[in-house]
Amino acid sequence: PSLPASSSSSSSSSGTEEHPHVVPLIEAIADAACVYLIFPYADGGELFEHVAARPEGEGLKEEEARRFFGQITSGLRYLKGRG
């Protein structure tokens, strides 16, 4: 794996704006075998674990699903707007 041609083997995201639904990338480091993405610790757990913890056959309530979907699309819209 390698970073895009415009990136070096180590880059950071200093000076970037923050978005409430996007975890900022602190640094990307590439070596011959891997690309390592460094993010700050984000407490609260994963969305998958939240959904999987529901009783069998019981999904998210529509209101909660709508809130998560809105947060996800807001974050994607922000990232897409940045190019």
Side-chain angles (χ1 to χ4, degrees):
S2 63
L3 294 171
S6 62
S7 298
S8 65
S9 63
S10 177
S11 62
S12 74
S13 63
S14 60
T16 60
E17 300 173 23
E18 291 188 16
H19 187 278
H21 307 301
V22 175
V23 179
L25 175 66
I26 293 176
E27 188 171 9
I29 303 169
D31 64 18
C34 295
V35 175
Y36 303 91
L37 303 177
I38 313 300
F39 294 96
Y41 176 73
D43 61 354
E46 296 183 26
L47 177 58
F48 174 80
E49 295 297 329
H50 178 73
V51 174
R54 299 287 202 185
E56 184 70 29
E58 183 182 317
L60 296 174
K61 302 241 184 277
E62 183 177 347
E63 192 173 303
E64 187 177 25
R66 187 181 302 118
R67 183 172 53 89
F68 286 135
F69 186 77
Q71 291 174 351
I72 292 167
T73 56
S74 173
L76 289 173
R77 190 176 319 113
Y78 167 77
L79 292 172
K80 183 169 175 24
R82 291 179 46 112

